[in-house]
Amino acid sequence: MDRMALAKTAGEAVARIAYLSSHVVLSIQPALAIDSEFSKHLHTYSTRLPDLGEKAPEIVALRHNVDPLLSAFQPLRDGKFVSVTTSSSVLLPSVPHLYKLAQYPIVIHVSLHASPNPDYSDITAIRQSGFVFLQSETLQEAQDLALTAHALAIQSGKGVIHFFDPANSRDDSPIEPVKADLFRDVLGLDTTILPSPDNSTSLYVDDGRRATMVEENALASGRSPNEGLTTKDTTSGAVLEKASNGGGSSVGSSVRESSADSRPTVSSATSIESSSTRPITSDDVYELLETIWSKINRATGRSYRTFEYTGPENAESALFIFGSTGLFVDELGAAKSSDEFAKCGLVTARLYRPWNGLHLAESLPTSVRRIAVLEQIRRKTTKWGPLLLDVLTSLRTRPSASGSIMVVGHQLGYIEPATVHQALRGIFQNLSLATPYQNLEVGSRDGPLQPSDQYGLTQPKVESAYMKILDQVFGERLYIANRLDAANAGLSATIAASPEYGFGSLLARKDHRSRFIGDVKTAAATHDFATDVPRSWLSRWALSAEDDTVVNTIAPDVISRLSNDGSKLASTLLESKSLFFKESQWLIGSDAWAYDLGNSGVHHVLASGANVNMLIIDSQPWSEWGAADAARRKKDIGLYAMNFGNAYVASVAVYSSYTQVLEAMIEADRFKGPSVVLAYLPYNKEDDSPLTVLQETKKAVDLGYWPLYRWNPENEENGEPNFSLDSERIKQELEEFLKRDNHLTQLMNRHPKFAANLSESYGTEVRALQKRKAKDAYDAMLESLYGAPMTILFASDNGNAESLAKRLRNRGKARGLKTMVMAMDDYPLEDLPTEENVILITSTAGQGEFPQNGRTFWDAVKDTTELDLSQTRYAVFALGDSHYWPRKEDKHYYNKPGKDLDARIAFLGGQKLADVGLGDDQDPDSYQTGYGEWEPKLWQALGVDKVEGLPEEPPPITNEDIKIQSNFLRGTIAEGLNDTSTGAISASDQQLTKFHGTYMQDDRDLRDDRKAQGLEPAYAFMIRCRLNGGVASPSQWLQMDSISSSYGNETMKLTTRQTFQFHGVVKSKLKLAMRGINKALMTTIAACGDVNRNIMVSPLPTKSAFHRDVHHISAKISDHLLPSTTAYHEIWLKDNDSDEKQTKVAGDAVVDNEPLYGPTYLPRKFKITIAVPPHNDTDVYAHDIGLVAIKDTDGKRLEGFNVLVGGGMGVTHNNKKTYPRTGSMLGYFPASQIHVVCEKIMLVQRDHGDRKNRKHARLKYTIDDMGVDVFRSKVEELLEAKFEDPKPFEFRSNIDTFGWQKDEFGMNHFLMFIENGRVEDTAEFPMKTGLREIAKVHKGDFRLTPNQHLCLSGVPNDDLDMIKGMLKKYKLDNLHFSGLRLSSSACVAFPTCGLAMAESERYLPELITKLEGCLEENGLRQDSIVMRMTGCPNGCARPWLAEVAFVGKAYGAYNMYLGGGYHGQRLNKLYRSSIMEEEILDIMKPLLKRYALERQEGERFGDFVIRIGMIKPTKEGKDFHEDVAEEESDAE
């Protein structure tokens, strides 16, 4: 503590003491993103442990308007010391809590409301609450009295409020922190033991708890009355050494009793039962304070008294100030002898409560005859101020040297520094009068105009989503009664935003409209308009004034007619024109309305039955702490409202289901009665990123913390269910919960104190039970076996460690060992000391982290000191990559989990069987090399190394085995789809479903939380369509939109493969989604898998005839190379009850034969793309076959293609045997036979590609192994024809051309920007809705681009204005983005891609935003720079061709690549490895500035970084890993 920095403010000094003295600190703030006087310092301290060597306290940030003191009860009742840091605004609303909290050892540090004129009435109003009140004025006093407050609370068991005005000490010099020995001495840390837990449960009802002391009779123990004793209370554990009282107290020693029942305890000084228990008294508090202050005085020389008097000892007048004293102290100190107040004394209260009148009288010189009491209280509720009455009572009977003392009260307001002298003169002139004026006001009551109150209400930025949706849905009809920005004269924002005020405002609004309807009827009967037109319209309106549909339809016409009329009457009516609409009236609130105190407005609305809508935004994240804090008493408003029976209730979450939010708001508006829409928007701070909010929302909805539902009592009249559950994933789980709900409810009612534990720990208990059952089952099975036991625990992300563990198990069994294999997190850790032999195998994830299924195990092993493993033998094998972290400072990440685990098990006493084995992906056989050396040592240590007759191990099952055994891609897919016990399918079927166009995934945002709840991962499927050339009709677009909403996660992804992709399709809906796609005359077969996939074509809006030619060829190639198996149709399209053997789709009959592929299909995936110069928007060099379209001599129609082969993007980090490659030119071939050319190229790859090593199986490696010339000759041999020399062509870019363009037939095409291809609705951008509405009227095509954007193609001139209007309405015409953003692209990555190592789609937009300021500064906003990001090195967004690329290496860490060709013709090269955002920005910003200043005319960014020597050019794929800017180091 001594090493801490000097404290500069009172808030900093107090926060430091609170941090060091507490187990829990409640930091009450204006908002979670806005620091208070204390919070910024608390967060600074939390980055390191206290110097006293104790565990750091828990710091809990709370908003000031959510009944924050509720959070103090639980830790206090658990026996913890709690402190609170807050402004004074919290005190009055918390009065019901204060009376109970005063009987606990809690300290509340109060910074009086920030203002030049703080209001001390917040303190005086609660003076009788039972708390001890301490007041400090200077910076040094703030620190000392904060320490005093904590010592007093600990030693007395009573609550202490320490308050101060921070302005008083603003100019004080910084102070040293409290010395550690003084801190220990004052707090009694060497003797204090935690108070016992308290079993109380009530919050408001007095349960009889009192802070008490155990008093020992000194005479009974054989000691003199004046001898101090030290005793320990066996109940509370608190120890207090009481100072001897000079007056001869009969109380020798005392300790407080923390329990409510106040049972007597036995003294440790005698065997005679001579102790008694009594409540803490004021005298006890005074004596404890004297002891504490005497310790501070001995150590520092600073003295403190109950009342502080400064001034002459012969003063006749004195000021007693209860307020800001700083200015008066300075002025009195500088007084001249001629001033009226030259010989004046100054009195302040250090101890405000309990009030000690005797101490006040003793503190004053006997010469004092007059006292001016100054009270800084703005909210005066009585004629005489509370301090004035205290002083009068205390001094009424005190004799002075010349008679009684006259006490004169003054009201202290704001005083300018320049007028302090004048104010003091006025006070003393009044005081000198024979009959002074009482309650004279000194200074200004309100003070100068200040900025808006820090603790006023503001709408958090993240919550604007729901407000925008309301605006979108209701438009001009929307009326929010308690809108924060509304002008409410004379009302604070806090009051104006409350439900009570809002409800009253709505009732007044309804009355206003009723009067307005009467005014309209009267106006319709008059002749005061300029014309008769308004009268007829007003009459029509008045007849339908209460009919929502009619009145809202004609209201704009009525307003228009009145506006054109221009008469005085028309102008009068237009002053209230919003009332012509039948408004959708809303109250907007937060989860602060869900707490017990001061929020009865919700009840008023529900009980009234009025047609009022409430939108209540709940921002509390799903967290264990929130669930455990049972004392917070946060009401379930939804359940509360449903119990009324007359209210519409919906629970929604915009980041889970945008559609459901819209439905709920529309239904709430239509409902005739009160409506409550509970809207979830979790955040830890109000400025949290949308990604953080999205992840928290998904967890809460998926785990059932925030179910999505709608409750409509009117449905019953229509024979429909009232309750509709909309969160699909928990439907079945919720049903199971409801089945056991009655039993749990009864149990919780009988034992209320266990209620929170029963409800919150269910998932934890399930998890523990699963571990126990699995372990016991293994034990039972092994009992019947012979041999030594061997338990194998693994942690694996990619399956290698798990496969190794299972192989080790089989080899152990063959040697006669009793073996068991479990994931580390599935193993009950308490059994580890009972194991004889334990083998631990772990791979390495992220930045040297444990894999997902080993983290809980490691956290427990790392933190425990209780495991005794002295009887356990162990060995560890670790899998890693020595080159994965190339920089020397990062080398320790190599195999870090295994090394750490080995060291920790040894520390806990484990006996090594063998040294830790290290598997390295850089070895010739990858990790198998190290494993081959380690395993024999293990068998030798176990004594089973010489076993003979070991059986041969079957070879591992490969993808080739799965394909050949699948019966032409059938496998057991159909059976797996019918298995309702899991959301997954088998591992082999997961490989086969790729051929059908779907991948099984799980939501990685939810993986950890579901595991903690004992649930399987949130499995769902990605579906990818096969969409030739990316062209879809409007009806197909509408069908895709419907599928995404009905079966997916309500979004569509336009992929870099120029097709549709759906995510979040659960297994039960997978077949329905597939049928829906085929119903639109589309398919998913061969969209993935080891076959030819979707063929890409340049969108080409300006050359429609040429595009038709190219698109026709692409369709011909696609159909020609399509797999022929009937498995797809049998599994997905055939009716289960039908006996039909074949199914037709779009008229194409299928047969069960694979003439092109054969039973094993291709070695790896196969991709074809067609580019039309000068646009390389399909990245023609990046694919297995790249076709460059060549025009005929007229330049209008297609003639043929230049053929490129061997492009490919897939790479494995730090494996130099893998690399990206650009295509090699084979030559030119006419268009009529190009489908045959593609077939023959594919057949050469089928027959010569590597089927043993999938990382070496792509066509690019086949060509490099063969050589381009040999490969060309084999293709020509099959073709029985030669390639011609390539035709000349030129590419100018590989990005999309945005905006409106016209083709040769006069048709219009609009290419719109869709960031990273994600089509979804948000509150800010209803993109999906807009495209749906356009598809209903559009007559042309939708063309998806390979850069993930969309071209609205074929708009006739007659429809142009209509389409432009719709684009503008839905913000789809916005192209005002930076050139960098328009040229960017990202893959999906988290949360659905199982291969992702880092964020991509969700992060790239944020990174670009952070760079756009630099672009603006350097004049580069409009410049196109191709930037791409992927979450892993497999290259879905084709990052290796970008001018600058970021490829995920670990969560938050990326490899940075520079130097790609702007035309997509050149690969980039590694510049920096494993860098985080801060380093990315540090590199990019200066580089962009340099590019702006030093580039040559027309020079592209990728060319520039090569010219200036930052990076070497990559000439071919095999050159990709050479001459990188950051060489990998082999040193560990």
Side-chain angles (χ1 to χ4, degrees), residues 1286-1307:
K1287 306 285 185 180
F1289 66 93
E1290 180 187 11
F1291 287 132
R1292 295 175 189 161
S1293 80
N1294 70 344
I1295 65 168
D1296 291 335
T1297 305
F1298 297 97
W1300 283 104
Q1301 298 178 71
K1302 193 179 288 286
D1303 66 22
E1304 69 269 36
F1305 302 112
M1307 300 296 280

Side-chain angles (χ1 to χ4, degrees), residues 4-308:
M4 286 188 176
L6 298 178
K8 298 181 178 62
T9 67
E12 181 179 2
V14 171
R16 181 158 55 194
I17 296 296
Y19 180 84
L20 293 169
S21 308
S22 313
H23 298 116
V24 177
V25 181
L26 303 183
S27 175
I28 300 174
Q29 301 171 204
L32 298 179
I34 300 175
D35 279 320
S36 69
E37 180 86 7
F38 313 92
S39 60
K40 58 185 175 184
H41 305 297
L42 290 171
H43 295 316
T44 300
Y45 302 145
S46 67
T47 59
R48 60 183 185 274
L49 293 178
D51 288 357
L52 300 178
E54 299 173 356
K55 187 175 180 181
E58 179 184 8
I59 298 174
V60 182
L62 297 165
R63 284 181 289 139
H64 72 106
N65 61 339
V66 295
D67 206 0
L69 292 191
L70 274 173
S71 292
F73 282 98
Q74 194 66 45
L76 285 170
R77 287 168 173 169
D78 289 341
K80 297 179 179 178
F81 293 124
V82 177
S83 60
V84 181
T85 60
T86 181
S87 80
S88 54
S89 65
V90 167
L91 297 178
L92 284 179
S94 300
V95 164
H97 299 316
L98 293 177
Y99 286 91
K100 287 181 67 66
L101 289 174
Q103 307 305 322
Y104 287 93
I106 183 174
V107 177
I108 304 178
H109 296 287
V110 178
S111 172
L112 291 165
H113 238 357
S115 165
N117 186 32
D119 188 358
Y120 280 67
S121 64
D122 289 331
I123 300 298
T124 60
I126 60 170
R127 64 190 184 280
Q128 306 297 354
S129 61
F131 271 83
V132 176
F133 287 78
L134 296 173
Q135 179 185 199
S136 60
E137 293 176 291
T138 68
L139 176 55
Q140 186 64 63
E141 287 174 5
Q143 179 169 280
D144 289 348
L145 291 189
L147 179 61
T148 300
H150 284 277
L152 183 60
I154 291 171
Q155 296 171 22
S156 70
K158 283 187 66 66
V160 180
I161 292 178
H162 166 226
F163 63 97
F164 61 92
D165 174 8
N168 268 344
S169 57
R170 185 178 296 130
D171 298 325
D172 289 6
S173 299
I175 61 170
E176 294 280 350
V178 178
K179 300 294 184 183
D181 52 354
L182 174 60
F183 185 85
R184 285 183 173 277
D185 185 32
V186 172
L187 289 187
L189 291 180
D190 296 326
T191 54
T192 299
I193 303 175
L194 292 181
S196 300
D198 180 359
N199 295 325
S200 307
T201 57
S202 68
L203 292 179
Y204 308 118
V205 179
D206 188 348
D207 54 11
R209 178 192 168 92
R210 294 292 181 271
T212 58
M213 277 189 161
V214 179
E215 183 176 73
E216 183 182 329
N217 188 320
L219 294 176
S221 63
R223 297 177 183 264
S224 68
N226 296 331
E227 186 176 357
L229 299 177
T230 302
T231 62
K232 177 181 279 190
D233 172 17
T234 58
T235 303
S236 71
V239 175
L240 168 67
E241 180 174 349
K242 184 173 181 182
S244 175
N245 188 320
S249 170
S250 63
V251 182
S253 79
S254 61
V255 293
R256 66 179 177 80
E257 169 71 69
S258 68
S259 64
D261 57 7
S262 303
R263 291 168 294 188
T265 61
V266 180
S267 168
S268 61
T270 177
S271 60
I272 302 175
E273 295 189 6
S274 56
S275 62
S276 60
T277 302
R278 62 174 178 78
I280 294 284
T281 66
S282 298
D283 288 338
D284 296 323
V285 173
Y286 303 147
E287 291 174 3
L288 287 169
L289 277 176
E290 288 177 11
T291 302
I292 294 167
W293 284 339
S294 66
K295 291 179 179 179
I296 294 175
N297 179 254
R298 287 196 300 269
T300 68
R302 296 187 293 273
S303 61
Y304 294 100
R305 290 176 292 276
T306 306
F307 293 94
E308 297 283 359

